[in-house]
Amino acid sequence: MSVVRFLASLLGWLLTPFLAWAASFLGATIAAALLSNLASPQTALVIAFTLGLASAVVVTVFWLRWIRRSRRIQRTLHITEDGTPEVLSVPEPPASP
């Protein structure tokens, strides 16, 4: 059971970068589809890159805001309020005599 819990936590931690990647891919794909008739391919490439970057930033900001406001998501993904993974508490070794 602890293996399943660990894998769920790992996938939860990887959710933020995955969302940013998916948003950038979607933004760049939409821009490329809309700008396919543009005369200059370099201009279309720069616009697609810019739209992909902007969509990744916007989605990441909204996702992190949602994480900060939702205690349920924080507990489920085992993350702190700022979106970083919780560190497992390691018991301190007993003091040497």
Side-chain angles (χ1 to χ4, degrees), residues 14-29 51-53 55-57 59-60 63:
L14 295 175
L15 193 57
T16 301
F18 178 75
L19 282 173
W21 171 80
S24 66
F25 180 78
L26 184 64
T29 302
L51 189 59
L53 180 65
S55 62
V57 168
V59 166
T60 302
W63 171 248

Side-chain angles (χ1 to χ4, degrees), residues 24-88:
S24 66
F25 180 78
L26 184 64
T29 302
I30 290 171
L34 294 175
L35 300 172
S36 62
N37 298 345
L38 204 58
S40 171
Q42 289 86 6
T43 304
L45 184 63
V46 168
I47 293 172
F49 175 79
T50 305
L51 189 59
L53 180 65
S55 62
V57 168
V58 168
V59 166
T60 302
V61 166
F62 282 125
W63 171 248
L64 290 176
R65 283 186 180 179
W66 191 37
I67 284 176
R68 287 185 183 127
R69 291 183 179 149
S70 175
R71 299 285 181 206
R72 182 177 181 191
I73 293 176
Q74 292 173 10
R75 282 192 314 267
T76 303
L77 299 179
H78 298 286
I79 56 176
T80 61
E81 192 173 295
D82 62 348
T84 57
E86 290 179 350
V87 179
L88 296 175

